[in-house]
Amino acid sequence: QVQLVESGGGLVQPGGSLRLSCAASGSIFSIRDMGWYHQAPGKERELVATITSGGSTNYADSVKGRFTISRDNAKNTVYLRMNSLKPEDTAVYYCNAIIITTTMSARDYWGQGTQVTVSS
């Protein structure tokens, strides 16, 4: 059994900052790529940023220069630092991770989502 638990969402004014966290727990052997996706009302879920186990990162064009993804492998945790937030960043943010369990099965897992609202 593997779980991803997100935290850190909330309401912030335009130009403000938030940091999201996502901790993986359970029968984990290793974690490969981790990432963040978001889904705005009426839209499809979209990639925000990903990070490999070695620390290589990838960002959506819309967040480059504003968001930073990082991870703490010892804590099985991925973070998303969001600066200069805009109203169009408003969405539910989901954590994703490709996890190899202790039974040596590999699949991707999703968190429950955390709401980020950017509004004055």
Side-chain angles (χ1 to χ4, degrees):
Q1 193 85 355
V2 172
Q3 282 189 320
L4 298 181
V5 178
E6 298 134 340
S7 60
L11 173 64
V12 63
Q13 292 186 342
S17 298
L18 282 175
R19 190 178 84 152
L20 306 183
S21 300
C22 172
S25 63
S27 303
I28 297 170
F29 178 74
S30 66
I31 303 178
R32 297 166 71 179
D33 293 4
M34 303 184 83
W36 291 94
Y37 293 72
H38 67 195
Q39 186 167 19
K43 295 188 176 182
E44 294 186 352
R45 192 172 298 187
E46 299 177 333
L47 180 145
V48 175
T50 61
I51 184 167
T52 67
S53 57
S56 296
T57 58
N58 179 55
Y59 296 92
D61 288 343
S62 60
V63 307
K64 283 181 181 176
R66 300 188 298 123
F67 290 11
T68 302
I69 189 170
S70 61
R71 64 191 282 174
D72 184 333
N73 291 330
K75 295 182 179 180
N76 290 337
T77 299
V78 63
Y79 305 95
L80 185 69
R81 178 67 180 181
M82 304 185 292
N83 295 329
S84 303
L85 281 160
K86 305 176 181 179
E88 50 264 42
D89 295 319
T90 295
V92 178
Y93 283 70
Y94 295 92
C95 172
N96 173 268
I98 299 173
I99 295 176
I100 301 173
T101 67
T102 53
T103 59
M104 294 299 125
S105 67
R107 52 160 281 197
D108 66 332
Y109 291 83
W110 292 91
Q112 80 283 1
T114 185
Q115 177 69 46
V116 171
T117 302
V118 184
S119 175
S120 55

